[in-house]
Amino acid sequence: MDEKIFLISEDGEEFPCYLLEETRVAGCNYVLVTDSEEEDGECYILKDRSEETDTEAVYEIVEDEKEQQYLARIFNELLEDVDIR
């Protein structure tokens, strides 16, 4: 994993994640992160909701199933050696 980032929940709890890949689709930035440096961690697709005036990036988990499936196919192509389910 190249980059470790910290996600902060709405209640202020920090979660360390590892950036796997990022892409831009239809004008929106997305990142694929995992919660583990080891192989079988959970993966999350996050959508950048930052405004130009935000000093830090604001991401939210993509929860729409169709959007998840579409983005998972894109990330699978970008990361040939990783199986995203």
Side-chain angles (χ1 to χ4, degrees):
M1 312 288 148
D2 290 330
E3 187 175 343
K4 185 175 184 178
I5 61 174
F6 291 90
L7 302 179
I8 301 172
S9 69
E10 289 179 358
D11 62 357
E13 191 174 347
E14 271 192 5
F15 298 96
C17 289
Y18 302 90
L19 182 65
L20 296 173
E21 186 61 78
E22 52 189 328
T23 192
R24 185 170 180 83
V25 176
C28 293
N29 293 321
Y30 295 90
V31 294
L32 178 67
V33 299
T34 184
D35 61 357
S36 174
E37 280 189 287
E38 305 304 319
E39 286 187 19
D40 291 328
E42 291 290 320
C43 285
Y44 303 97
I45 298 173
L46 307 175
K47 186 174 191 173
D48 187 349
R49 294 292 192 177
S50 304
E51 299 291 329
E52 288 183 25
T53 57
D54 290 335
T55 57
E56 293 185 355
V58 177
Y59 288 96
E60 71 178 24
I61 294 175
V62 174
E63 295 185 15
D64 179 73
E65 192 172 321
K66 287 182 180 181
E67 187 177 15
Q68 282 179 351
Q69 291 172 351
Y70 176 73
L71 292 164
R73 285 193 304 268
I74 292 171
F75 282 120
N76 269 324
E77 289 180 22
L78 293 171
L79 297 166
E80 295 172 1
D81 60 338
V82 176
D83 185 25
I84 302 170
R85 292 183 220 154

